[in-house]
Amino acid sequence: MADPLTLFTSIGLSEQKAKETLKNDALCSALKDAIAQAQRVLGVAGVDKATGTLLYTMASRLRDPKRLGFLTDHIAQRKICTELQLAAALEFVKSHPQDPINQQEFESLCGVGVVITPEQIEDKVEKVIKKHKDQLLQERYRFNMGLLMGEARGGLMWADGKMIKNEVDMQVLHLLGPKTEADLEKKPKAQKAKAPDGEVKVKEELTMNGELKIEGRTLMDELRGVALNFHKPGENYKTEGYVVTPKTMDLLKQHLEFTGGQIRTRFPPEPNGILHIGHAKAINFNFGYAKANDGICYLRYDDTNPEKEEEKYFTAIKDMVEWLGYKPYEITHASDNFQRLYDLAVDLIRRGHAYVCHQRGEELKGHNPPPSPWRERPAEESLVLFDRMRRGLFAEGEATLRMKIVMEDGKMDPVAYRIKYTAHHRTGDAWCIYPTYDYTHCLCDSIENITHSLCTKEFQARRSSYFWLCNALDVYCPVQWEYGRLNLTYTVVSKRKIIKLVEEGTVRDWDDPRLFTLTALRRRGFPSEAINNFCAKVGVTVAQATMEPHMLESCVRDVLNDHAPRAMAVLEPLKVTITNLPEGIRNDVRVPDFPANEFMGSHVVPFTRTIFIEQSDFREVMEKGYKRLTPDQPVGLRHAGYVISVQKVIKDAQGRVVELEVHCCSSHEAAEKPKAFIHWVSEPQKCEIRLYERLFLHKNPEDPSEVPGGFLSDINPNSLQVIDSALVDISVSKAKVFDKFQFERVGYFALDPDSTADKLVFNRTVTLKEDPGKM
């Protein structure tokens, strides 16, 4: 046989494609075997390019090597001679992993022996054109030609697609004639469709990854549409990379009998920290996919590391899941299965797939740790040693149980069990050995009959060990699917780094409103709907998404604009005395909660001789473009129906303006309409206002090239401003913690848990409009 490069180019591959193939050992070997067999079938030394192209496609897409000869025979004998037939053949062998293959069923489903003549194509297209003739004549070239193609192909399944397209183009041209200028004009936009209640509509826009989100498609639509090409329950074996064993089909049958074909997902956080904005996408994805497809989703705590787990984290995680609007089907724990996991580990040793190792932790670090000298230790010896580990007869780090597998990232023999003399939150001192994520996760998925194990992209390197371990123990094997992680700029979400920020006193705790933990966002006043809407905008994508905070803040404004009632607050008060109102007068002014829709309610605030306005709403010297109050320029008072004019400016010993004396008149009596209407308060309640800015100065505070001194050196000194002498109208006096308001002309605010009966504390959630300087 010729050298591989020459061989591959001889069957029609370009030199570049042939060189790429040579770099892939598995593909190279499969293609050489296929060519050799095809030559034997044909009885010639060469293979024509049409056959060679099909052989390459087959070798590159075939996941079950034992079917290579079977498909090669059909290609060489010209029984499979189109890409369409080959695609059907590959799908058939993937969905029929067990022997023997039903030859008659295979050939029927792959169109073997079916010949479609040009005359048949012409007749079929003619019938389709005739069916849609009136609409074609009306819409001309704006008509969806794909519809014609689809209907024509429907009756000619194994026809050459190019031949059908050419025939459609020719007959349409014959009917309509050449395109005119009118045909080339853009099609008018269709009317926007409303999303069903409770579902988040995704607008047409480019995400940070350049992916297009289509108007009218909701997150639930995407999840129902299995955007990542998920398998159906029980059809796990159709997933790329899934390993089929002699017991797979029986185990899947048992799985289907137990679940009834229901979709089952799980959200499996570690209870060693607070959930952050990235987890919000995971929650929406796991719970949302189950909800969209009438399935169930577990909240499963991955509690296998007792050193870092605390009760407050278990509680906070559950609270955040429910805050985002999801109710777990059941709350479970990895620790529920500690005994079963231990028994399975014993079975794994007996099968020769695991061994007790004495290499220290430092020896196992890095990408190329030395192979364990205990890898071939007899199973009987490992069983004895594993039992001694269980009974606490080794020191921490003196022994581990390792699995005999090499993972995608080159990590060899990952640890399954390690020794930790730490009491567990739930099981106390019952165990001194604890399973690792690599061992626990897939087995808990199997035990709970999970259909789709959804995880972020960094776990892709664990997929092979996931499949391997389930198959090594002959238990039901779910499918792990990876999706893109959601990240935000100008923040850190690492638990270790957040703890460092707390320890350094940079932030108060995990729920400090400058962080992007979910508890912090709730405390700041972000509505859960806005976070879910943001996740919907990011969409179901395999690519990692790194978004700007202002995109999340935009979602927040959209929700609060519709749901946060209006109130008036003055952050830097300036006293105003209305001299032409008598002492003791008190009028009630009705203020709409939502000015755009007065039917949504209102509240009453007092209007007296003394009011307070913002200091910035008065200037002693008139400046060009300034439209608010000056000695020469009156201003209107929002909702009150009055216009005030300055009579006297009162200053303190330092020359600062401390009070204004003004005259008021009805806005109907004013000589001219004022250029602006400002907000005010009267008989107000004193409160504390906390204004937040970004915690970090740079977009990527963890990037050494951007912040050489590390993230702690990048703290924004102006990330928090506290105003302790602000005034707010009495309509908010009975607000509850986390209640949200729009303080007119100031921003959106939420009541903080630090509030007391004597002093309300408000966090600014977001400004009314995006600051164009924040890029």
Side-chain angles (χ1 to χ4, degrees), residues 353-646:
H353 298 311
Y355 62 95
V356 172
C357 175
H358 302 290
Q359 284 178 295
R360 294 284 179 174
E362 55 270 18
E363 296 179 68
L364 300 177
K365 291 180 180 177
H367 291 290
N368 295 300
S372 171
W374 292 278
R375 196 172 199 266
E376 302 306 323
R377 170 174 263 162
E380 294 77 11
E381 188 177 330
S382 283
L383 286 169
V384 171
L385 294 171
F386 190 48
D387 180 63
R388 292 184 65 193
M389 287 173 61
R390 166 73 175 85
R391 290 188 288 122
L393 301 180
F394 287 107
E396 285 193 14
E398 192 176 347
T400 59
L401 181 69
R402 295 174 64 183
M403 300 176 282
K404 291 185 179 181
I405 180 178
V406 178
M407 300 168 71
E408 285 97 333
D409 59 1
K411 182 179 178 183
M412 184 175 181
D413 295 356
V415 172
Y417 270 87
R418 70 277 204 220
I419 301 167
K420 288 182 180 291
Y421 290 108
T422 303
H424 189 274
H425 174 75
R426 299 183 69 244
T427 61
D429 294 323
W431 297 88
C432 64
I433 57 171
Y434 294 97
T436 62
Y437 175 92
D438 288 325
Y439 177 79
T440 306
H441 191 69
C442 62
L443 295 180
C444 284
D445 282 351
S446 177
I447 290 167
E448 293 178 354
N449 273 282
I450 300 302
T451 58
H452 299 77
S453 180
L454 309 176
C455 57
T456 47
K457 200 71 174 173
E458 64 263 33
F459 291 97
Q460 188 167 4
R462 287 171 157 92
R463 190 193 271 208
S464 65
S465 67
Y466 186 107
F467 292 155
W468 175 88
L469 184 53
C470 290
N471 290 329
L473 288 166
D474 285 326
V475 297
Y476 160 68
C477 183
V479 177
Q480 174 176 305
W481 289 94
E482 303 88 15
Y483 58 90
R485 185 186 179 114
L486 170 60
N487 295 317
L488 276 185
T489 54
Y490 295 100
T491 190
V492 297
V493 294
S494 158
K495 295 167 187 173
R496 178 178 57 83
K497 291 177 179 175
I498 291 177
I499 289 172
K500 192 72 174 173
L501 289 169
V502 174
E503 290 173 347
E504 294 281 329
T506 305
V507 298
R508 294 172 60 183
D509 208 337
W510 289 82
D511 65 346
D512 188 297
R514 289 167 289 179
L515 297 172
F516 281 84
T517 61
L518 294 183
T519 50
L521 295 178
R522 179 178 64 173
R523 183 170 185 172
R524 185 162 170 169
F526 281 36
S528 57
E529 304 97 307
I531 294 174
N532 291 340
N533 292 359
F534 178 62
C535 292
K537 281 192 173 185
V538 175
V540 182
T541 170
V542 177
Q544 179 168 295
T546 300
M547 316 296 283
E548 298 277 357
H550 70 79
M551 299 183 73
L552 173 58
E553 291 170 0
S554 174
C555 293
V556 171
R557 288 188 190 91
D558 287 343
V559 172
L560 292 181
N561 186 54
D562 294 335
H563 298 285
R566 276 45 168 179
M568 291 191 288
V570 174
L571 273 54
E572 295 179 319
L574 175 60
K575 183 179 178 181
V576 175
T577 300
I578 305 174
T579 58
N580 61 324
L581 287 183
E583 294 279 359
I585 190 170
R586 189 180 190 277
N587 296 324
D588 287 338
V589 173
R590 185 162 293 279
V591 177
D593 292 336
F594 297 90
N597 185 353
E598 297 192 8
F599 293 104
M600 293 179 69
S602 62
H603 59 275
V604 173
V605 296
F607 184 81
T608 67
R609 176 183 170 90
T610 301
I611 65 173
F612 298 87
I613 66 172
E614 289 283 0
Q615 290 181 17
S616 60
D617 281 339
F618 170 75
R619 288 185 186 175
E620 196 171 3
V621 178
M622 181 67 179
E623 294 178 13
K624 184 178 179 180
Y626 187 73
K627 296 182 179 180
R628 285 163 278 174
L629 186 62
T630 74
D632 301 315
Q633 180 171 273
V635 72
L637 299 178
R638 289 176 68 81
H639 309 297
Y642 291 114
V643 175
I644 59 174
S645 304
V646 176

Side-chain angles (χ1 to χ4, degrees), residues 267 269-280 283 301 308 310-321 323 485 492-496 498-499 502 509-512 515-523:
F267 174 59
E270 295 179 66
N272 62 358
I274 299 296
L275 303 182
H276 55 72
I277 186 66
H279 290 112
I283 291 170
Y301 293 108
K308 299 181 179 180
E310 296 181 41
E311 172 61 28
K312 67 177 182 180
Y313 298 138
F314 286 85
T315 303
I317 288 170
K318 177 176 177 291
D319 287 348
M320 289 302 97
V321 169
W323 178 60
R485 185 186 179 114
V492 297
V493 294
S494 158
K495 295 167 187 173
R496 178 178 57 83
I498 291 177
I499 289 172
V502 174
D509 208 337
W510 289 82
D511 65 346
D512 188 297
L515 297 172
F516 281 84
T517 61
L518 294 183
T519 50
L521 295 178
R522 179 178 64 173
R523 183 170 185 172

Side-chain angles (χ1 to χ4, degrees), residues 221-274:
D221 286 335
E222 290 199 58
L223 293 172
R224 286 191 198 102
V226 288
L228 299 182
N229 298 316
F230 290 160
H231 66 283
K232 294 179 182 178
E235 295 185 355
N236 305 32
Y237 56 87
K238 291 187 177 181
T239 306
E240 184 175 346
Y242 193 84
V243 179
V244 176
T245 72
K247 293 193 175 182
T248 294
M249 303 313 286
D250 288 337
L251 290 167
L252 288 175
K253 183 179 178 183
Q254 294 169 23
H255 160 74
L256 281 176
E257 288 173 354
F258 182 84
T259 65
Q262 182 184 49
I263 282 175
R264 293 183 165 216
T265 62
R266 79 291 165 272
F267 174 59
E270 295 179 66
N272 62 358
I274 299 296

